[in-house]
Amino acid sequence: MHLTEVVDGPAEKVKTLIAMELMRHIKIGNLPEYQLAALDEPKGFSVKSFQNCLSLMGHWRRKMWMRVWYHYLTKIKYLWTSKADVTDLLEELEEEEEAELRRVDPRVQKRKVRECARKLMEDFWKNFGYSHPIKESDRRDHDEQSSIVSDDPPAVFERAKSAKASLRNRRESKTGTEVSDKIRKLALAKVSTSNRDVLDEEALSMKSYNPSRVNTNFDKKKRSVVERLFAVDKDVRHGRLVKHIKDEIMDAMILDSKEQLGKKEIELMVGPPQGHVALNISEVKRGLVVEGAALKHILGDPVLEEMLFAVASCCESVIACRVSPIQKALLLKMVRKYVSPTPTTLAIGDGANDVGMIQEAHIGIGISGLEGQQAVNASDFSIAQFRYLESLLLIHGRWNFMRMSKTVLFFFYKNAALIGTLMVFSSHCMHSGTPLYDPWVISVFNFVGGSIPIICMGVFDRDLPRDYVLQNPEVYRSGPQNEFLSFRMTFRWVAMTIIQTLTIYHFTAPVIDLGGGSTSAFKGLMGNWDRDVPGDGEGGDLKVFGTTIYSNLIYVVTLKAFFETRSLIHGEFPTFTCRRNVGEGWPNRMGYTWVGVSWGSVIFYIWFLYMYELIGRRGVTSFFDFIYVTRHLLNMRSITWMVSILTPVIACIWDVTGKVYSNMYYPTQTQIHSEIASREFKNELVS
């Protein structure tokens, strides 16, 4: 690893060191957005220029809103708000304005950063040349360092007179690979295995000077239209699954696996090969160490801050040592400021000097230790030791994000389904506002309408086992990639809400309206009453009509919560026992999934209907309109039970079919890993 250390020193030296490192990364190709080709203004009209016009209109709209908000804070809100709160809001508004300016045209700020780096290097070398005579060996190093200021080809390319012609032929000919190999040999002609030559600017700049096509092992033509339109996972949508690999690459991988197997067998017999292993310059990793005394020359200047962040973003690891508490907070603020889109930041500390950093981050974690409880008191989460951070992020953090995402989407789904049935009914009652459901029946919807099952899912659901997540930490990407709350996932829920709402109403209402609700069961009435008095068996009124639709809605919503649960808690039977030494207590023996779906939703709803009718029969008021509704609905009409079985099944078929089809043809990374984990679990049981 190449390590860059920024220590305390003169301000010009510290700034120049950061500038040189920035230009070095530009020449390597780690920062293509800072290269001259990316900073040039586009000429002529194009689709991109039209998009820029749209973004400019959005910028003016947001700018006007910021101005209105600024006047509101300074003229109105300060009357009843403390000065400190108004100051904090104004600082946040100022940060949003700066971010908006960078969002309009980020090339403007990047051009300033590059010009500042160029000027710093030129001034430093100029002053160095005047004050110290340069030896011949130092002059050669000086010239090599000067070559990284511009995007012109380095000196090594001047020895190959046909380099530009080769590049031109490479673009035009079909044998571009051979020409690229020749250029690579020319560029690496003087590269040796010493540490200094590994960082030779002439060789490192080859990547940025020799523009090559983006080679990929995947064939985008293998993507289906369904994957492009409906796939939630970006890798599936962009064609990065195993089935999308090019045929020739797949054949090469199969041959390579056979060769590697043969090499392993040979190494087991004769031992590993001896000799020097060539170092690939493009794989050299970089690190950055910055002292707090050096940061004082950089923090506070937006251009230098972005320069430092650009360098740090190209490093595998960055260490800031001996920094003050305010510098810790400023470094974290710099990450939130210069990363687009704004990331979710996390800060962890164990002492009072980490409080500012913890409060500045989106998520603060405090470690309770020997340095007191200040960090714990200022944090969002607290852990006893640093090693618990892995479980907090990979296990509990990922599980909770998945649970909360499903819970949020489900609560919007069930309320939209309830309102959707009312909207469909309004078109059949001339939009008169006639209520379809009884007011007291609607009041229990948020309790029995999937609340208990979704609470059980939000507390106990697990999509991947704990051990599998620790062995495969890449599954954590589903959170930062917003897999569970993406636009496409939300669109799936919206589409399913519309489909199931129409299914619930149109598969229930036509069956029981137009006299369908007045039919009796079997011979007369289900209760086997007198056939000469059939009126007591009728159920064609609005209360029975609406409660039937409402019951089907409850059943569908409950089944939806059941299908969204990835891990079913069966519990142990019997849950309650008087025997001793039979295991843990009843809270750990209960099957929460089945209790939530049955007793917490469907059974409780039916019990409520009977209790509600009983209250009306006891004479709350003479105008109580729910008298005998439950009795006629559930006891005397077989059509109610027929509809209550067929309608939820048909509504859930849409959901199950969509889930099965998406998991088969455009699965998410989480679904792929869950199938792998399930297969490993079955293999363990067999073995």
Side-chain angles (χ1 to χ4, degrees):
M1 173 182 284
H2 171 66
L3 184 63
T4 302
E5 186 177 6
V6 183
V7 299
D8 187 20
E12 293 78 8
K13 182 179 179 180
V14 174
K15 296 177 182 179
T16 304
L17 181 59
I18 298 297
M20 292 172 61
E21 194 67 19
L22 174 73
M23 299 303 297
R24 182 178 290 111
H25 283 289
I26 294 176
K27 298 303 295 183
I28 294 174
N30 293 339
L31 296 172
E33 65 272 11
Y34 285 90
Q35 294 181 355
L36 294 179
L39 298 178
D40 290 338
E41 292 288 344
K43 297 181 180 180
F45 180 80
S46 61
V47 177
K48 189 174 182 180
S49 61
F50 179 73
Q51 294 177 352
N52 292 336
C53 293
L54 296 179
S55 62
L56 187 62
M57 294 174 60
H59 162 68
W60 283 108
R61 178 180 57 83
R62 290 187 292 269
K63 187 176 180 180
M64 292 296 297
W65 170 250
M66 290 179 184
R67 290 294 90 193
V68 173
W69 182 247
Y70 173 79
H71 288 291
Y72 171 74
L73 293 177
T74 56
K75 304 297 184 182
I76 301 177
K77 193 168 184 177
Y78 84 99
L79 296 176
W80 66 81
T81 308
S82 63
K83 185 177 180 180
D85 294 340
V86 174
T87 303
D88 294 339
L89 293 174
L90 290 176
E91 291 179 357
E92 294 178 0
L93 182 62
E94 184 178 356
E95 294 177 2
E96 292 180 2
E97 290 179 351
E98 294 179 0
E100 184 63 29
L101 292 176
R102 292 192 302 271
R103 191 184 298 114
V104 174
D105 193 356
R107 296 175 299 176
V108 176
Q109 184 68 11
K110 289 179 171 58
R111 194 178 293 110
K112 291 181 181 179
V113 172
R114 181 179 174 118
E115 292 298 328
C116 178
R118 181 194 296 271
K119 187 176 185 302
L120 287 173
M121 296 171 63
E122 291 178 351
D123 294 344
F124 181 78
W125 290 332
K126 183 178 179 181
N127 297 333
F128 178 77
Y130 287 155
S131 59
H132 301 279
I134 303 177
K135 299 179 182 180
E136 187 63 28
S137 60
D138 296 336
R139 188 178 301 277
R140 182 178 65 255
D141 297 338
H142 179 272
D143 294 338
E144 290 179 357
Q145 294 290 347
S146 301
S147 65
I148 66 176
V149 179
S150 64
D151 287 343
D152 298 331
V156 67
F157 285 96
E158 297 180 0
R159 295 192 297 269
K161 297 181 180 180
S162 61
K164 293 185 178 180
S166 300
L167 286 173
R168 191 180 303 108
N169 295 333
R170 178 179 179 275
R171 299 188 187 97
E172 298 175 357
S173 63
K174 297 182 180 179
T175 60
T177 306
E178 299 178 358
V179 179
S180 178
D181 294 338
K182 294 180 180 179
I183 296 176
R184 184 177 182 274
K185 293 178 180 179
L186 290 172
L188 303 179
K190 296 182 64 178
V191 176
S192 63
T193 59
S194 64
N195 186 37
R196 182 182 179 283
D197 290 334
V198 168
L199 302 175
D200 187 5
E201 300 301 333
E202 296 178 348
L204 290 175
S205 62
M206 182 271 296
K207 183 177 179 181
S208 61
Y209 177 71
N210 180 20
S212 59
R213 297 178 182 177
V214 179
N215 296 324
T216 177
N217 297 331
F218 301 98
D219 187 2
K220 291 187 176 181
K221 295 182 180 179
K222 291 187 176 182
R223 294 182 302 167
S224 63
V225 178
V226 177
E227 291 175 345
R228 299 179 186 180
L229 295 178
F230 302 107
V232 175
D233 192 271
K234 293 182 179 179
D235 292 334
V236 180
R237 194 160 61 249
H238 297 163
R240 297 174 188 158
L241 293 180
V242 175
K243 64 179 182 180
H244 299 133
I245 297 178
K246 297 179 180 178
D247 296 335
E248 58 271 17
I249 299 297
M250 182 63 71
D251 297 338
M253 292 173 62
I254 296 174
L255 294 175
D256 183 68
S257 62
K258 295 180 180 179
E259 292 179 359
Q260 293 296 331
L261 182 61
K263 290 180 180 179
K264 290 181 180 179
E265 295 178 353
I266 295 174
E267 290 180 2
L268 291 175
M269 292 186 293
V270 302
Q274 302 294 331
H276 174 71
V277 180
L279 178 62
N280 189 358
I281 298 177
S282 61
E283 297 180 357
V284 174
K285 297 181 180 180
R286 292 176 175 264
L288 179 65
V289 178
V290 187
E291 289 188 357
L295 286 175
K296 65 182 181 181
H297 305 302
I298 300 174
L299 298 178
D301 189 339
V303 177
L304 295 178
E305 286 182 353
E306 185 168 352
M307 189 184 303
L308 175 63
F309 179 78
V311 173
S313 62
C314 299
C315 299
E316 295 292 329
S317 60
V318 180
I319 299 176
C321 56
R322 293 188 288 273
V323 295
S324 62
I326 187 64
Q327 286 178 336
K328 293 182 180 181
L330 291 176
L331 286 175
L332 196 143
K333 186 177 181 180
M334 185 174 64
V335 175
R336 298 179 57 177
K337 181 177 181 181
Y338 294 108
V339 177
S340 181
T342 303
T344 301
T345 56
L346 182 146
I348 181 171
D350 60 349
N353 57 343
D354 300 320
V355 172
M357 175 183 62
I358 291 175
Q359 292 178 343
E360 183 66 31
H362 293 94
I363 301 173
I365 299 177
I367 301 177
S368 57
L370 300 177
E371 298 191 19
Q373 299 292 322
Q374 290 87 346
V376 173
N377 296 333
S379 62
D380 301 307
F381 302 94
S382 175
I383 56 179
Q385 299 179 17
F386 187 83
R387 62 188 178 94
Y388 297 149
L389 181 63
E390 181 181 17
S391 298
L392 180 64
L393 292 178
L394 297 182
I395 305 299
H396 303 288
R398 185 183 176 280
W399 280 347
N400 286 330
F401 180 72
M402 179 268 299
R403 296 165 181 168
M404 293 301 297
S405 301
K406 289 184 178 180
T407 302
V408 170
L409 291 173
F410 185 84
F411 275 107
F412 278 105
Y413 155 80
K414 70 183 187 66
N415 289 301
L418 175 65
I419 301 302
T421 54
L422 296 176
M423 294 176 62
V424 176
F425 174 72
S426 66
S427 61
H428 293 80
C429 65
M430 305 300 292
H431 301 281
S432 60
T434 303
L436 177 62
Y437 307 134
D438 186 84
W440 283 96
V441 174
I442 292 181
S443 64
V444 300
F445 179 76
N446 285 325
F447 182 76
V448 301
S451 295
I452 301 300
I454 201 63
I455 289 175
C456 294
M457 185 193 72
V459 175
F460 303 108
D461 195 21
R462 300 179 180 182
D463 57 346
L464 292 173
R466 179 190 184 94
D467 296 336
Y468 184 86
V469 175
L470 293 177
Q471 296 174 2
N472 302 273
E474 63 271 9
V475 300
Y476 184 77
R477 291 191 307 169
S478 60
Q481 291 181 354
N482 202 21
E483 176 183 310
F484 305 107
L485 269 178
S486 62
F487 173 78
R488 291 172 180 262
M489 181 61 70
T490 306
F491 177 76
R492 286 187 183 183
W493 281 79
V494 173
M496 190 53 57
T497 301
I498 297 174
I499 293 174
Q500 290 189 341
T501 299
L502 296 177
T503 302
I504 291 171
Y505 186 86
H506 289 291
F507 277 83
T508 304
V511 179
I512 58 179
D513 66 357
L514 298 178
S518 301
T519 58
S520 58
F522 307 119
K523 296 181 179 179
L525 303 175
M526 184 175 290
N528 199 18
W529 289 14
D530 189 359
R531 299 181 183 179
D532 297 333
V533 189
D536 200 20
E538 296 179 355
D541 62 322
L542 184 59
K543 289 297 179 181
V544 175
F545 176 81
T547 307
T548 304
I549 299 176
Y550 184 84
S551 301
N552 291 335
L553 177 63
I554 293 292
Y555 304 149
V556 172
V557 170
T558 302
L559 291 175
K560 175 68 174 176
F562 179 77
F563 290 138
E564 292 297 329
T565 303
R566 302 297 294 269
S567 57
L568 302 179
I569 303 176
H570 302 287
E572 297 182 9
F573 185 82
T575 303
F576 302 93
T577 179
C578 297
R579 294 179 298 170
R580 296 181 179 180
N581 301 325
V582 294
E584 299 177 337
W586 67 267
N588 297 318
R589 299 167 57 88
M590 182 178 295
Y592 288 95
T593 302
W594 302 104
V595 170
V597 171
S598 58
W599 294 97
S601 183
V602 176
I603 297 178
F604 179 83
Y605 167 69
I606 296 176
W607 174 84
F608 166 78
L609 290 180
Y610 280 106
M611 293 298 102
Y612 186 40
E613 179 195 78
L614 183 61
I615 294 174
R617 291 174 59 185
R618 295 302 179 184
V620 175
T621 174
S622 57
F623 296 98
F624 192 79
D625 53 0
F626 207 81
I627 299 177
Y628 289 109
V629 172
T630 306
R631 185 176 182 181
H632 287 218
L633 177 69
L634 302 179
N635 295 13
M636 300 182 179
R637 301 175 67 231
S638 60
I639 193 171
T640 300
W641 295 100
M642 296 178 186
V643 173
S644 298
I645 294 175
L646 294 177
T647 301
V649 169
I650 296 173
C652 291
I653 285 177
W654 295 104
D655 190 21
V656 174
T657 303
K659 291 181 183 298
V660 172
Y661 187 82
S662 63
N663 293 339
M664 290 178 59
Y665 295 101
Y666 43 91
T668 61
Q669 293 295 328
T670 302
Q671 178 63 28
I672 295 174
H673 283 285
S674 63
E675 294 179 4
I676 296 175
S678 177
R679 187 179 305 171
E680 292 180 356
F681 179 73
K682 292 180 180 178
N683 294 335
E684 291 179 359
L685 293 179
V686 173
S687 60

